Amino acid sequence: MRLIVGISGASGVILGYHMLKALKQIPGMEVHVIVTEGAAKTFEHETDLTVDAVTAAADVVHHNSNMAAAISSGSFKTDGMIIIPCSMKTVSGIAAGFATNLLLRAADVCIKEGRKVVIVPREMPMSRIHLGNIKQAADSGCVVVPPLLTFYNSANSIEKQIHHIIGKILMQFGLDYVEFVGWEGAE
């Protein structure tokens, strides 16, 4: 399986790091990553991680300005893309088909080729513009997985909350995540 992970400049870049770590644990998974310039700055503000440390979990690292990268073409086969976190700027670019950088072009390619694109929008509260752009992205085929809190699975730490979000995203690609605790039902 081959997936693209885009990490945009929204708050919550640590989610992208955890996604890369989770994908690295899946046998046979090839991961291509794009870290936007905004994401690099957000890593500096929100974490102690360097971009090199983050991207070390990927098989291929693409520069966001490289519009000639393999993932910019539909003839380069992938199983889809995850954008985590997905800034409102990125959502608006996806919604409008405004592919001005590699992250947006890769999403555009996946959408046009009928490949799954999962976006993890990070903003709160959301304006009507944000909601309209998210709806347009969903209407274009994107799956929207906001990083919302869970309570039914005793996720009583940030780490457990992140595991839940990663698990929900990976389910979209038919993948299991060992750290995910799903609903077991109730009497």
Side-chain angles (χ1 to χ4, degrees), residues 56-87:
D59 297 293
V60 182
V61 179
H62 298 280
H63 194 276
N64 196 32
S65 66
N66 183 9
M67 296 295 278
I71 59 174
S72 71
S73 174
S75 64
F76 184 78
K77 294 181 183 176
T78 69
D79 295 287
M81 182 171 187
I82 301 163
I83 305 173
I84 179 170
C86 189
S87 68

PDB file of all heavy atoms in Angstrom, residues 56-87:
ATOM      1  N   ALA A  56      11.521  11.451   9.228  1.00  0.00           N
ATOM      2  CA  ALA A  56      12.312  10.223   9.253  1.00  0.00           C
ATOM      3  C   ALA A  56      11.443   8.976   9.194  1.00  0.00           C
ATOM      4  O   ALA A  56      11.895   7.916   8.756  1.00  0.00           O
ATOM      5  CB  ALA A  56      13.188  10.192  10.503  1.00  0.00           C
ATOM      6  N   ALA A  57      10.198   9.082   9.594  1.00  0.00           N
ATOM      7  CA  ALA A  57       9.288   7.937   9.573  1.00  0.00           C
ATOM      8  C   ALA A  57       8.713   7.681   8.177  1.00  0.00           C
ATOM      9  O   ALA A  57       8.048   6.663   7.961  1.00  0.00           O
ATOM     10  CB  ALA A  57       8.148   8.151  10.565  1.00  0.00           C
ATOM     11  N   ALA A  58       8.947   8.572   7.228  1.00  0.00           N
ATOM     12  CA  ALA A  58       8.420   8.406   5.869  1.00  0.00           C
ATOM     13  C   ALA A  58       9.455   7.729   4.977  1.00  0.00           C
ATOM     14  O   ALA A  58      10.660   7.775   5.243  1.00  0.00           O
ATOM     15  CB  ALA A  58       8.047   9.766   5.291  1.00  0.00           C
ATOM     16  N   ASP A  59       8.975   7.116   3.909  1.00  0.00           N
ATOM     17  CA  ASP A  59       9.869   6.510   2.926  1.00  0.00           C
ATOM     18  C   ASP A  59      10.391   7.547   1.940  1.00  0.00           C
ATOM     19  O   ASP A  59      11.529   7.459   1.493  1.00  0.00           O
ATOM     20  CB  ASP A  59       9.138   5.388   2.171  1.00  0.00           C
ATOM     21  CG  ASP A  59       8.732   4.268   3.103  1.00  0.00           C
ATOM     22  OD1 ASP A  59       9.633   3.586   3.620  1.00  0.00           O
ATOM     23  OD2 ASP A  59       7.522   4.094   3.332  1.00  0.00           O
ATOM     24  N   VAL A  60       9.526   8.502   1.577  1.00  0.00           N
ATOM     25  CA  VAL A  60       9.896   9.539   0.621  1.00  0.00           C
ATOM     26  C   VAL A  60       9.405  10.878   1.156  1.00  0.00           C
ATOM     27  O   VAL A  60       8.250  11.002   1.562  1.00  0.00           O
ATOM     28  CB  VAL A  60       9.280   9.283  -0.778  1.00  0.00           C
ATOM     29  CG1 VAL A  60       9.716  10.350  -1.760  1.00  0.00           C
ATOM     30  CG2 VAL A  60       9.636   7.892  -1.289  1.00  0.00           C
ATOM     31  N   VAL A  61      10.295  11.864   1.149  1.00  0.00           N
ATOM     32  CA  VAL A  61       9.953  13.218   1.591  1.00  0.00           C
ATOM     33  C   VAL A  61       9.951  14.119   0.358  1.00  0.00           C
ATOM     34  O   VAL A  61      10.930  14.144  -0.401  1.00  0.00           O
ATOM     35  CB  VAL A  61      10.969  13.739   2.630  1.00  0.00           C
ATOM     36  CG1 VAL A  61      10.606  15.151   3.063  1.00  0.00           C
ATOM     37  CG2 VAL A  61      11.042  12.793   3.824  1.00  0.00           C
ATOM     38  N   HIS A  62       8.848  14.845   0.170  1.00  0.00           N
ATOM     39  CA  HIS A  62       8.715  15.748  -0.969  1.00  0.00           C
ATOM     40  C   HIS A  62       8.681  17.187  -0.468  1.00  0.00           C
ATOM     41  O   HIS A  62       7.997  17.482   0.517  1.00  0.00           O
ATOM     42  CB  HIS A  62       7.415  15.472  -1.732  1.00  0.00           C
ATOM     43  CG  HIS A  62       7.343  14.100  -2.310  1.00  0.00           C
ATOM     44  ND1 HIS A  62       7.977  13.749  -3.481  1.00  0.00           N
ATOM     45  CD2 HIS A  62       6.704  12.979  -1.881  1.00  0.00           C
ATOM     46  CE1 HIS A  62       7.727  12.477  -3.749  1.00  0.00           C
ATOM     47  NE2 HIS A  62       6.954  11.990  -2.791  1.00  0.00           N
ATOM     48  N   HIS A  63       9.372  18.067  -1.177  1.00  0.00           N
ATOM     49  CA  HIS A  63       9.308  19.487  -0.849  1.00  0.00           C
ATOM     50  C   HIS A  63       8.010  20.048  -1.407  1.00  0.00           C
ATOM     51  O   HIS A  63       7.615  19.737  -2.537  1.00  0.00           O
ATOM     52  CB  HIS A  63      10.512  20.237  -1.412  1.00  0.00           C
ATOM     53  CG  HIS A  63      10.646  21.597  -0.829  1.00  0.00           C
ATOM     54  ND1 HIS A  63       9.945  22.684  -1.322  1.00  0.00           N
ATOM     55  CD2 HIS A  63      11.369  22.049   0.230  1.00  0.00           C
ATOM     56  CE1 HIS A  63      10.239  23.749  -0.603  1.00  0.00           C
ATOM     57  NE2 HIS A  63      11.106  23.392   0.350  1.00  0.00           N
ATOM     58  N   ASN A  64       7.346  20.866  -0.649  1.00  0.00           N
ATOM     59  CA  ASN A  64       6.036  21.394  -1.029  1.00  0.00           C
ATOM     60  C   ASN A  64       6.065  22.228  -2.312  1.00  0.00           C
ATOM     61  O   ASN A  64       5.043  22.395  -2.969  1.00  0.00           O
ATOM     62  CB  ASN A  64       5.457  22.211   0.121  1.00  0.00           C
ATOM     63  CG  ASN A  64       3.973  22.452  -0.032  1.00  0.00           C
ATOM     64  OD1 ASN A  64       3.250  21.635  -0.584  1.00  0.00           O
ATOM     65  ND2 ASN A  64       3.511  23.581   0.464  1.00  0.00           N
ATOM     66  N   SER A  65       7.214  22.726  -2.699  1.00  0.00           N
ATOM     67  CA  SER A  65       7.294  23.523  -3.925  1.00  0.00           C
ATOM     68  C   SER A  65       7.618  22.680  -5.160  1.00  0.00           C
ATOM     69  O   SER A  65       7.606  23.193  -6.277  1.00  0.00           O
ATOM     70  CB  SER A  65       8.345  24.626  -3.781  1.00  0.00           C
ATOM     71  OG  SER A  65       9.634  24.053  -3.661  1.00  0.00           O
ATOM     72  N   ASN A  66       7.870  21.393  -4.978  1.00  0.00           N
ATOM     73  CA  ASN A  66       8.257  20.528  -6.100  1.00  0.00           C
ATOM     74  C   ASN A  66       7.031  20.021  -6.861  1.00  0.00           C
ATOM     75  O   ASN A  66       6.560  18.912  -6.646  1.00  0.00           O
ATOM     76  CB  ASN A  66       9.107  19.355  -5.619  1.00  0.00           C
ATOM     77  CG  ASN A  66       9.581  18.484  -6.775  1.00  0.00           C
ATOM     78  OD1 ASN A  66       9.416  18.831  -7.944  1.00  0.00           O
ATOM     79  ND2 ASN A  66      10.177  17.363  -6.434  1.00  0.00           N
ATOM     80  N   MET A  67       6.548  20.840  -7.761  1.00  0.00           N
ATOM     81  CA  MET A  67       5.358  20.471  -8.531  1.00  0.00           C
ATOM     82  C   MET A  67       5.640  19.377  -9.567  1.00  0.00           C
ATOM     83  O   MET A  67       4.723  18.897 -10.231  1.00  0.00           O
ATOM     84  CB  MET A  67       4.776  21.710  -9.206  1.00  0.00           C
ATOM     85  CG  MET A  67       4.279  22.755  -8.218  1.00  0.00           C
ATOM     86  SD  MET A  67       2.884  22.196  -7.231  1.00  0.00           S
ATOM     87  CE  MET A  67       1.561  22.512  -8.377  1.00  0.00           C
ATOM     88  N   ALA A  68       6.902  18.957  -9.702  1.00  0.00           N
ATOM     89  CA  ALA A  68       7.259  17.878 -10.622  1.00  0.00           C
ATOM     90  C   ALA A  68       7.460  16.553  -9.890  1.00  0.00           C
ATOM     91  O   ALA A  68       7.877  15.568 -10.506  1.00  0.00           O
ATOM     92  CB  ALA A  68       8.525  18.248 -11.396  1.00  0.00           C
ATOM     93  N   ALA A  69       7.141  16.497  -8.607  1.00  0.00           N
ATOM     94  CA  ALA A  69       7.293  15.256  -7.837  1.00  0.00           C
ATOM     95  C   ALA A  69       6.394  14.169  -8.409  1.00  0.00           C
ATOM     96  O   ALA A  69       5.366  14.447  -9.031  1.00  0.00           O
ATOM     97  CB  ALA A  69       6.945  15.509  -6.368  1.00  0.00           C
ATOM     98  N   ALA A  70       6.783  12.931  -8.195  1.00  0.00           N
ATOM     99  CA  ALA A  70       5.999  11.796  -8.707  1.00  0.00           C
ATOM    100  C   ALA A  70       4.532  11.880  -8.282  1.00  0.00           C
ATOM    101  O   ALA A  70       3.629  11.607  -9.074  1.00  0.00           O
ATOM    102  CB  ALA A  70       6.623  10.483  -8.234  1.00  0.00           C
ATOM    103  N   ILE A  71       4.291  12.295  -7.025  1.00  0.00           N
ATOM    104  CA  ILE A  71       2.915  12.326  -6.515  1.00  0.00           C
ATOM    105  C   ILE A  71       2.069  13.438  -7.134  1.00  0.00           C
ATOM    106  O   ILE A  71       0.872  13.517  -6.870  1.00  0.00           O
ATOM    107  CB  ILE A  71       2.889  12.431  -4.972  1.00  0.00           C
ATOM    108  CG1 ILE A  71       3.599  13.689  -4.488  1.00  0.00           C
ATOM    109  CG2 ILE A  71       3.469  11.167  -4.354  1.00  0.00           C
ATOM    110  CD1 ILE A  71       3.495  13.933  -2.994  1.00  0.00           C
ATOM    111  N   SER A  72       2.662  14.263  -8.002  1.00  0.00           N
ATOM    112  CA  SER A  72       1.886  15.316  -8.675  1.00  0.00           C
ATOM    113  C   SER A  72       1.179  14.798  -9.911  1.00  0.00           C
ATOM    114  O   SER A  72       0.450  15.540 -10.563  1.00  0.00           O
ATOM    115  CB  SER A  72       2.789  16.503  -9.044  1.00  0.00           C
ATOM    116  OG  SER A  72       3.660  16.150 -10.100  1.00  0.00           O
ATOM    117  N   SER A  73       1.366  13.519 -10.220  1.00  0.00           N
ATOM    118  CA  SER A  73       0.756  12.944 -11.414  1.00  0.00           C
ATOM    119  C   SER A  73      -0.144  11.765 -11.066  1.00  0.00           C
ATOM    120  O   SER A  73       0.202  10.926 -10.232  1.00  0.00           O
ATOM    121  CB  SER A  73       1.841  12.459 -12.377  1.00  0.00           C
ATOM    122  OG  SER A  73       1.269  11.772 -13.467  1.00  0.00           O
ATOM    123  N   GLY A  74      -1.266  11.691 -11.744  1.00  0.00           N
ATOM    124  CA  GLY A  74      -2.178  10.572 -11.555  1.00  0.00           C
ATOM    125  C   GLY A  74      -1.609   9.251 -12.032  1.00  0.00           C
ATOM    126  O   GLY A  74      -2.073   8.188 -11.644  1.00  0.00           O
ATOM    127  N   SER A  75      -0.585   9.289 -12.880  1.00  0.00           N
ATOM    128  CA  SER A  75       0.017   8.048 -13.354  1.00  0.00           C
ATOM    129  C   SER A  75       0.896   7.395 -12.288  1.00  0.00           C
ATOM    130  O   SER A  75       1.274   6.230 -12.419  1.00  0.00           O
ATOM    131  CB  SER A  75       0.825   8.290 -14.633  1.00  0.00           C
ATOM    132  OG  SER A  75       1.914   9.153 -14.387  1.00  0.00           O
ATOM    133  N   PHE A  76       1.197   8.140 -11.221  1.00  0.00           N
ATOM    134  CA  PHE A  76       1.907   7.570 -10.079  1.00  0.00           C
ATOM    135  C   PHE A  76       0.834   7.052  -9.131  1.00  0.00           C
ATOM    136  O   PHE A  76       0.121   7.832  -8.503  1.00  0.00           O
ATOM    137  CB  PHE A  76       2.786   8.625  -9.399  1.00  0.00           C
ATOM    138  CG  PHE A  76       3.629   8.076  -8.276  1.00  0.00           C
ATOM    139  CD1 PHE A  76       4.781   7.359  -8.558  1.00  0.00           C
ATOM    140  CD2 PHE A  76       3.268   8.277  -6.954  1.00  0.00           C
ATOM    141  CE1 PHE A  76       5.575   6.851  -7.518  1.00  0.00           C
ATOM    142  CE2 PHE A  76       4.047   7.776  -5.921  1.00  0.00           C
ATOM    143  CZ  PHE A  76       5.202   7.061  -6.208  1.00  0.00           C
ATOM    144  N   LYS A  77       0.719   5.754  -9.040  1.00  0.00           N
ATOM    145  CA  LYS A  77      -0.395   5.155  -8.297  1.00  0.00           C
ATOM    146  C   LYS A  77      -0.173   5.214  -6.791  1.00  0.00           C
ATOM    147  O   LYS A  77       0.882   4.842  -6.292  1.00  0.00           O
ATOM    148  CB  LYS A  77      -0.603   3.717  -8.745  1.00  0.00           C
ATOM    149  CG  LYS A  77      -1.059   3.609 -10.177  1.00  0.00           C
ATOM    150  CD  LYS A  77      -1.266   2.169 -10.574  1.00  0.00           C
ATOM    151  CE  LYS A  77      -1.658   2.088 -12.043  1.00  0.00           C
ATOM    152  NZ  LYS A  77      -1.769   0.697 -12.488  1.00  0.00           N
ATOM    153  N   THR A  78      -1.200   5.688  -6.113  1.00  0.00           N
ATOM    154  CA  THR A  78      -1.238   5.673  -4.655  1.00  0.00           C
ATOM    155  C   THR A  78      -2.603   5.145  -4.226  1.00  0.00           C
ATOM    156  O   THR A  78      -3.516   5.024  -5.048  1.00  0.00           O
ATOM    157  CB  THR A  78      -1.034   7.074  -4.044  1.00  0.00           C
ATOM    158  OG1 THR A  78      -2.177   7.884  -4.340  1.00  0.00           O
ATOM    159  CG2 THR A  78       0.233   7.740  -4.559  1.00  0.00           C
ATOM    160  N   ASP A  79      -2.720   4.844  -2.951  1.00  0.00           N
ATOM    161  CA  ASP A  79      -4.003   4.415  -2.400  1.00  0.00           C
ATOM    162  C   ASP A  79      -4.759   5.567  -1.772  1.00  0.00           C
ATOM    163  O   ASP A  79      -5.843   5.374  -1.241  1.00  0.00           O
ATOM    164  CB  ASP A  79      -3.780   3.291  -1.378  1.00  0.00           C
ATOM    165  CG  ASP A  79      -3.220   2.047  -2.053  1.00  0.00           C
ATOM    166  OD1 ASP A  79      -3.988   1.372  -2.757  1.00  0.00           O
ATOM    167  OD2 ASP A  79      -2.009   1.776  -1.910  1.00  0.00           O
ATOM    168  N   GLY A  80      -4.181   6.769  -1.842  1.00  0.00           N
ATOM    169  CA  GLY A  80      -4.876   7.936  -1.322  1.00  0.00           C
ATOM    170  C   GLY A  80      -3.969   8.818  -0.497  1.00  0.00           C
ATOM    171  O   GLY A  80      -2.736   8.682  -0.522  1.00  0.00           O
ATOM    172  N   MET A  81      -4.620   9.716   0.234  1.00  0.00           N
ATOM    173  CA  MET A  81      -3.889  10.759   0.946  1.00  0.00           C
ATOM    174  C   MET A  81      -4.585  11.102   2.253  1.00  0.00           C
ATOM    175  O   MET A  81      -5.812  11.086   2.335  1.00  0.00           O
ATOM    176  CB  MET A  81      -3.807  11.997   0.052  1.00  0.00           C
ATOM    177  CG  MET A  81      -3.033  13.156   0.609  1.00  0.00           C
ATOM    178  SD  MET A  81      -2.821  14.421  -0.661  1.00  0.00           S
ATOM    179  CE  MET A  81      -1.714  15.529   0.186  1.00  0.00           C
ATOM    180  N   ILE A  82      -3.772  11.451   3.244  1.00  0.00           N
ATOM    181  CA  ILE A  82      -4.260  11.931   4.532  1.00  0.00           C
ATOM    182  C   ILE A  82      -3.629  13.299   4.757  1.00  0.00           C
ATOM    183  O   ILE A  82      -2.401  13.431   4.656  1.00  0.00           O
ATOM    184  CB  ILE A  82      -3.851  10.981   5.676  1.00  0.00           C
ATOM    185  CG1 ILE A  82      -4.395   9.569   5.449  1.00  0.00           C
ATOM    186  CG2 ILE A  82      -4.305  11.543   7.028  1.00  0.00           C
ATOM    187  CD1 ILE A  82      -3.717   8.493   6.297  1.00  0.00           C
ATOM    188  N   ILE A  83      -4.436  14.302   5.041  1.00  0.00           N
ATOM    189  CA  ILE A  83      -3.910  15.626   5.361  1.00  0.00           C
ATOM    190  C   ILE A  83      -4.240  15.896   6.823  1.00  0.00           C
ATOM    191  O   ILE A  83      -5.396  16.082   7.189  1.00  0.00           O
ATOM    192  CB  ILE A  83      -4.488  16.712   4.440  1.00  0.00           C
ATOM    193  CG1 ILE A  83      -4.254  16.334   2.975  1.00  0.00           C
ATOM    194  CG2 ILE A  83      -3.859  18.070   4.775  1.00  0.00           C
ATOM    195  CD1 ILE A  83      -4.935  17.248   1.980  1.00  0.00           C
ATOM    196  N   ILE A  84      -3.180  15.865   7.649  1.00  0.00           N
ATOM    197  CA  ILE A  84      -3.346  15.884   9.096  1.00  0.00           C
ATOM    198  C   ILE A  84      -2.252  16.702   9.762  1.00  0.00           C
ATOM    199  O   ILE A  84      -1.106  16.292   9.704  1.00  0.00           O
ATOM    200  CB  ILE A  84      -3.375  14.447   9.655  1.00  0.00           C
ATOM    201  CG1 ILE A  84      -3.517  14.430  11.180  1.00  0.00           C
ATOM    202  CG2 ILE A  84      -2.146  13.642   9.227  1.00  0.00           C
ATOM    203  CD1 ILE A  84      -3.784  13.057  11.762  1.00  0.00           C
ATOM    204  N   PRO A  85      -2.521  17.825  10.353  1.00  0.00           N
ATOM    205  CA  PRO A  85      -3.799  18.525  10.342  1.00  0.00           C
ATOM    206  C   PRO A  85      -3.992  19.226   8.999  1.00  0.00           C
ATOM    207  O   PRO A  85      -3.049  19.426   8.240  1.00  0.00           O
ATOM    208  CB  PRO A  85      -3.649  19.541  11.478  1.00  0.00           C
ATOM    209  CG  PRO A  85      -2.186  19.860  11.486  1.00  0.00           C
ATOM    210  CD  PRO A  85      -1.495  18.574  11.121  1.00  0.00           C
ATOM    211  N   CYS A  86      -5.218  19.601   8.750  1.00  0.00           N
ATOM    212  CA  CYS A  86      -5.569  20.281   7.509  1.00  0.00           C
ATOM    213  C   CYS A  86      -6.025  21.701   7.852  1.00  0.00           C
ATOM    214  O   CYS A  86      -7.085  21.890   8.448  1.00  0.00           O
ATOM    215  CB  CYS A  86      -6.659  19.512   6.774  1.00  0.00           C
ATOM    216  SG  CYS A  86      -6.988  20.124   5.110  1.00  0.00           S
ATOM    217  N   SER A  87      -5.196  22.662   7.508  1.00  0.00           N
ATOM    218  CA  SER A  87      -5.521  24.062   7.795  1.00  0.00           C
ATOM    219  C   SER A  87      -6.718  24.517   6.962  1.00  0.00           C
ATOM    220  O   SER A  87      -7.049  23.914   5.932  1.00  0.00           O
ATOM    221  CB  SER A  87      -4.315  24.951   7.492  1.00  0.00           C
ATOM    222  OG  SER A  87      -4.075  24.985   6.088  1.00  0.00           O
TER     223      SER A  87
END
